Amino acid sequence: GGINIFCSGNAIQIDSKEKINSVAVTDLFGRNVSFTRSGNVINMKDNAGGVYFVRMLVNGNMFTRKVFIGRWLTCLPVD
């Protein structure tokens, strides 16, 4: 779709031409995890490494992207 995510360190950058209405981040077990958001940047510094799902509501459509936060808190998008 028209939503892409990029990682820089432990931050997730959301690339969207549309306005992002809301963002939620969950772990593999579906539990919400805490994060801070500034515009289209999600800071995951307070979370352990692992796989996370970033769920974004954009114009009434839900998009989900998977990311891997590495042991040293480096973030990688996962297809």
Side-chain angles (χ1 to χ4, degrees):
I3 306 291
N4 292 301
I5 58 173
F6 304 94
C7 297
S8 175
N10 57 10
I12 301 166
Q13 172 77 41
I14 304 169
D15 180 27
S16 171
K17 292 178 176 45
E18 309 285 339
K19 181 178 186 292
I20 299 168
N21 303 107
S22 67
V23 174
V25 180
T26 59
D27 64 14
L28 279 176
F29 302 103
R31 296 179 297 214
N32 286 317
V33 298
S34 63
F35 61 91
T36 56
R37 177 180 168 204
S38 176
N40 286 5
V41 177
I42 299 169
N43 189 321
M44 297 287 289
K45 69 178 176 59
D46 295 329
N47 294 290
V51 175
Y52 294 92
F53 295 94
V54 181
R55 300 182 198 285
M56 300 153 283
L57 183 63
V58 180
N59 285 344
N61 297 308
M62 185 65 73
F63 295 88
T64 302
R65 298 292 184 267
K66 184 165 58 171
V67 296
F68 174 74
I69 305 291
R71 181 176 176 192
W72 305 112
L73 296 182
T74 55
C75 174
L76 299 169
V78 179
D79 289 337

